[in-house]
Amino acid sequence: MLAPLEGVRGLGPKRIAAWATFDIATLADLLRWPPRRHVRFAPPTAIAALPATGEATLRVHLVRKQASGRRGIVATRLTVADASGELGCVVFGPRWLASAFERHEELLLRASAPPPGEARGERSDWIVRGWLHAEELATLPAAAAAYQPHYELPDEVAPRLHRRCLRALLAAPLEELAAPLPAAVRARSGGLATLRDLFTALHFPRDEAEAAAARRCFAFEEAVAIQERLAIGRAARPLRPLAAGEELRGTIGRWLADYLAAWPEPCTADQLRALDELVGDYGRPQAMARVLSGEVGSGKTRVALFPLVVAARRGRQGALLAPTELLARQHHATLSRLADALRLPPPQLLVAGESGEPGASGAIGAATPARPSRRRTAIDAPFVVGTHRLFAEPLSFRDLAAVVIDEQHKFGVRQRGRLLDKGTTPDLLLVSATPIPRTLAQTLLGHLDRSQLRVRPFGPLRIDCELLAGERRRELGAQLCAELAAGGKIFVVCPAIAASGQPGGRAAAERVAPWVAREVGGATPVALLHGRLDGAEKRARLADFAEGRARVLVATVVIEVGLDIPDATMVVVLDADRFGLAQLHQIRGRVGRRGERARCLLVSQEPSPAAHERLLEFGRLDDGFALAELDLRLRGPGELLGTRQHGVLAGLYPEALLDPELVEAAREAVAAGARKSLPGHPFGASAVASTEAIW
């Protein structure tokens, strides 16, 4: 089964090269490529017994055919017959399609009756929706239903050719195909005995249950492979220097007490538990490798800064990586206050467009634009907070001992690796902006320790959510004016910066800001914030809003995470149906930050019925973990983990990542050491590659 595709009849060099773009190079790869779906052909009906309306399946012989038309979609008329009579049918498709049907061949047709009341003639022919050819009917009993597999295929490979190749491989005397299934797989197979049976059920099942059982077997093997890879990752964590554990044993508790006393408000129980988990990590021989996720506004920053303080207390260094300049500056300000309270040196700041030289305040550059330096810059401060420049430039650290990465899904694994490589086995804390569903945490995060924050320091969110869809969008101007009259402060979030010029394009901040200014009147200043502004302009406009000089901020999703404006009272999301639930929850979390009642308006022009229901469900739920689970079901993991990772998450069997029962069974199999792969090649290659590409 590990033989290359060159031996498969019908696959020449061009088609083999096309399959290579799908990472398919061997017979096993081809057999393991699963159908996206199966189309059912019901048990056949005799021509004489056809109903007047609806669909039916016909098992017939082709008497004659005739194609009409020269270009584009051509109508090919088929005259077919069975023992009870003769019938006219029509197939619509490209002109070459007529050559696919041969006179006297047996066909299985899935067809629709002509519209009622039409005159007899060509337009009264039954319309063919799908068909199977003679070679696909050889083993199908005359009265049985059939299932036609549909695949994602290279353009160079026709569906009929692919099915023919699969049937030829399954009929070949390959020794591996006769191998019995391992017990753990057989238990899920619904009675299938050999690998040949399993592949046949995957591609050409006798019924839906057999197809589902076969797919579940392959997904289970892929899930086991993922869990094995994660177990290896856990075991391969780098070890701390031998003296580190002894050094911290008597001091880490005192440092934690000092750290807690440096904050103005007490910690929540969740924050204390998470900090205790971090303290426990310092007692282990392996370096910290932990992910911190939590509810919006749950105080993740208070937990995340502790490893940096520990590094500084030890005379070493810590680095905090953030995806945006706004967030980096906010973290820098928080860490500066914390360092002052703990009598530690101030942190340095390194963001895009800065000079890179230490300033008097401890920041690297105040606001001097500069190109990234090509000469190596030495970082000597105990803390540094920065954006992509932390790993994009030739920086060197004196002794990097801790790395904290905020909004970790915004960074690729190589980017994170370049920063980690600047130290010797540094502790790593990844901070997730959104709650992570349990199933996803057990798969993609299975090799990391996990901490979760559910409780907000200022109590539950008290945000009233309302949907303005269709004609109700006209109410938006009046609602903005009413909120401002009541003394409120408003975010207006747009999905785009500039108008695209396309009909039905996304709401653009540069167009929305003047409209808002007209609606609320010239006496109310309106600020505009987006990613194309330079750093100084961003800071100035955000300061205007934070300090009350502007009471409306029209912005893009640059304000999505981390921005803390405690007195903001309303957030308006334009084209809300274009956002995922997790992202909407982050945006909603920009208001009501101190437990006060606030409002969220979701504005949508013409949402589809599914999008309309999704937005209503969002308004009913304020639990970020429940929304994350719902978003996972509706949109897949890309929304939760970022578009950078979305493409590699599909795998061949997404159930291996997302099905709770399957994931748990795979974890148990790995823990018991009872795994035995099916013959062919290592299972789970695509999913294992996916986890490595992400984490």
Side-chain angles (χ1 to χ4, degrees):
M1 286 176 62
L2 296 179
L5 296 180
E6 279 77 5
V8 179
R9 185 177 179 182
L11 295 186
K14 288 185 178 180
R15 288 174 178 145
I16 290 172
W19 272 124
T21 65
F22 283 56
D23 292 328
I24 291 178
T26 68
L27 306 184
D29 293 336
L30 201 64
L31 285 169
R32 294 174 191 276
W33 187 254
R36 289 184 300 172
R37 61 190 175 97
H38 285 91
V39 173
R40 183 177 186 269
F41 287 64
T45 301
I47 290 176
L50 287 176
T53 60
E55 276 197 1
T57 299
L58 309 168
R59 190 157 183 167
V60 293
H61 289 83
L62 179 60
V63 177
R64 54 185 172 273
K65 62 181 180 180
Q66 180 180 2
S68 59
R70 294 184 178 180
R71 295 179 181 175
I73 301 299
V74 171
T76 300
R77 190 173 190 277
L78 307 177
T79 301
V80 298
D82 64 10
S84 69
E86 196 171 275
L87 181 72
C89 300
V90 64
V91 181
F92 294 100
R95 188 170 184 83
W96 60 260
L97 190 60
S99 62
F101 299 100
E102 299 178 5
R103 285 187 63 194
H104 307 303
E105 87 164 307
E106 187 179 20
L107 298 169
L108 192 70
L109 304 180
R110 186 170 55 85
S112 300
E118 287 193 352
R120 300 296 300 173
E122 185 177 346
R123 293 198 61 197
S124 66
D125 292 337
W126 279 62
I127 301 170
V128 176
R129 307 294 185 186
W131 59 91
L132 293 174
H133 291 276
E135 73 265 17
E136 302 179 85
L137 306 179
T139 59
L140 183 69
Y147 293 84
Q148 182 184 49
H150 286 240
Y151 303 84
E152 181 182 357
L153 298 172
D155 291 340
E156 295 82 355
V157 179
R160 183 182 180 185
L161 171 64
H162 183 57
R163 296 196 299 270
R164 186 182 295 159
C165 291
L166 291 174
R167 290 184 183 278
L169 286 176
L170 291 173
L174 294 172
E175 190 174 319
E176 296 96 330
L177 291 179
L181 298 177
V185 177
R186 191 167 59 250
R188 291 169 170 78
S189 71
L192 301 173
T194 67
L195 187 57
R196 191 189 311 276
D197 296 336
L198 193 60
F199 277 129
T200 301
L202 178 69
H203 297 289
F204 308 111
R206 290 171 291 189
D207 53 43
E208 291 94 337
E210 188 175 77
R215 183 176 178 91
R216 195 162 181 81
C217 288
F218 285 103
F220 172 71
E221 279 290 286
E222 190 145 346
V224 169
I226 293 171
Q227 294 303 321
E228 282 190 332
R229 180 64 185 87
L230 296 178
I232 293 170
R234 287 191 294 269
R237 285 184 189 173
L239 298 177
R240 303 177 189 276
L242 290 176
E246 291 298 323
E247 169 199 338
L248 294 172
R249 191 181 303 278
T251 56
I252 190 73
R254 186 174 71 252
W255 290 349
L256 177 59
D258 293 343
Y259 180 81
L260 295 175
W263 293 89
E265 305 93 7
C267 283
T268 66
D270 275 6
Q271 288 172 326
L272 289 173
R273 185 181 64 252
L275 286 165
D276 281 342
E277 290 168 348
L278 265 62
V279 168
D281 288 345
Y282 287 108
R284 299 176 183 172
Q286 293 89 4
M288 179 190 298
R290 183 173 291 276
V291 60
L292 172 67
S293 71
E295 183 58 275
V296 174
S298 59
K300 294 184 286 290
T301 299
R302 183 173 295 197
V303 177
L305 297 184
F306 182 62
L308 304 180
V309 170
V310 171
R313 289 284 203 191
R314 297 168 64 192
R316 303 180 71 187
Q317 294 175 289
L320 191 156
L321 176 62
T324 66
E325 180 184 341
L326 287 177
L327 190 54
R329 288 185 179 278
Q330 183 166 293
H331 282 315
H332 178 262
T334 302
L335 192 54
S336 295
R337 292 190 294 269
L338 183 63
D340 184 60
L342 293 171
R343 299 182 180 179
L344 291 170
Q348 292 185 347
L349 176 67
L350 188 64
V351 295
E354 302 284 344
S355 65
E357 297 300 325
S361 69
I364 296 186
T368 309
R371 293 182 178 180
S373 173
R374 291 188 178 276
R375 63 185 177 86
R376 183 167 292 277
T377 302
I379 303 291
D380 191 59
F383 313 109
V384 61
V385 180
T387 56
H388 295 71
R389 287 185 69 181
L390 283 180
F391 57 78
E393 292 192 12
L395 302 177
S396 64
F397 288 83
R398 172 175 44 81
D399 186 11
L400 182 62
V403 172
V404 176
I405 301 180
D406 198 5
E407 288 195 73
Q408 48 78 28
H409 64 280
K410 299 287 181 70
F411 299 97
V413 69
R414 289 189 179 89
Q415 294 172 323
R416 296 197 293 257
R418 286 205 296 271
L419 180 55
L420 289 170
D421 287 345
K422 296 178 185 292
T424 303
T425 63
D427 293 312
L428 171 65
L429 180 63
L430 302 175
V431 183
S432 172
T434 57
I436 299 175
R438 178 173 175 269
T439 305
L440 213 56
Q442 287 182 336
T443 51
L444 298 180
L445 304 177
H447 60 310
L448 302 174
D449 296 314
R450 302 187 297 278
S451 297
Q452 285 189 343
L453 304 181
R454 287 182 174 269
V455 178
R456 300 181 180 91
F458 298 96
L461 287 176
R462 301 169 62 211
I463 302 175
D464 299 321
C465 205
E466 187 176 359
L467 175 60
L468 302 182
E471 289 299 312
R472 286 204 64 197
R473 291 178 301 134
R474 300 179 186 276
E475 302 174 20
L476 178 57
Q479 297 229 29
L480 294 174
C481 292
E483 186 69 22
L484 292 171
K489 185 181 285 188
I490 304 171
F491 286 107
V492 179
V493 180
C494 306
I497 297 175
S500 65
Q502 300 290 330
R506 297 180 294 173
E510 290 179 344
R511 282 193 175 180
V512 169
W515 177 85
V516 171
R518 290 193 300 271
E519 289 292 314
V520 302
T524 303
V526 175
L528 173 64
L529 182 68
H530 55 71
R532 292 181 187 169
L533 301 172
D534 63 40
E537 189 66 23
K538 285 180 190 173
R539 295 193 296 276
R541 296 186 184 188
L542 189 58
D544 286 344
F545 184 62
E547 296 165 15
R549 291 184 292 275
R551 292 178 58 202
V552 182
L553 180 67
V554 178
T556 57
V557 291
V558 70
I559 61 99
E560 173 189 345
V561 175
L563 198 63
D564 192 8
I565 309 292
D567 58 346
T569 59
M570 175 187 277
V571 59
V572 178
V573 186
L574 302 181
D575 286 343
D577 55 303
R578 296 177 182 264
F579 296 88
L581 297 181
Q583 193 174 25
L584 285 175
H585 190 53
Q586 286 293 327
I587 295 170
R588 179 169 60 181
R590 297 313 98 204
V591 297
R593 303 279 292 177
R594 296 298 182 266
E596 299 88 354
R597 187 165 293 283
R599 299 183 66 205
C600 174
L601 298 183
L602 306 174
V603 183
S604 182
Q605 186 172 355
E606 293 180 358
S608 67
H612 189 273
E613 182 57 35
R614 186 167 58 88
L615 293 174
L616 290 176
E617 185 70 11
F618 171 79
R620 289 190 287 265
L621 290 173
D622 61 4
D623 183 332
F625 286 88
L627 283 169
E629 293 282 1
L630 180 60
D631 221 11
L632 180 64
R633 292 196 303 271
L634 294 177
R635 291 164 64 98
E639 174 64 30
L640 295 166
L641 299 176
T643 54
R644 183 182 298 268
Q645 284 86 10
H646 183 61
V648 298
L649 284 174
L652 295 184
Y653 301 94
E655 308 96 302
L657 299 175
L658 308 178
D659 185 309
E661 187 276 331
L662 207 63
V663 170
E664 188 58 35
R667 286 166 61 87
E668 292 174 359
V670 171
R675 188 220 182 198
K676 181 181 177 184
S677 292
L678 298 179
H681 72 89
F683 245 88
S686 61
V688 170
S690 297
T691 59
E692 290 176 338
I694 296 165
W695 305 105

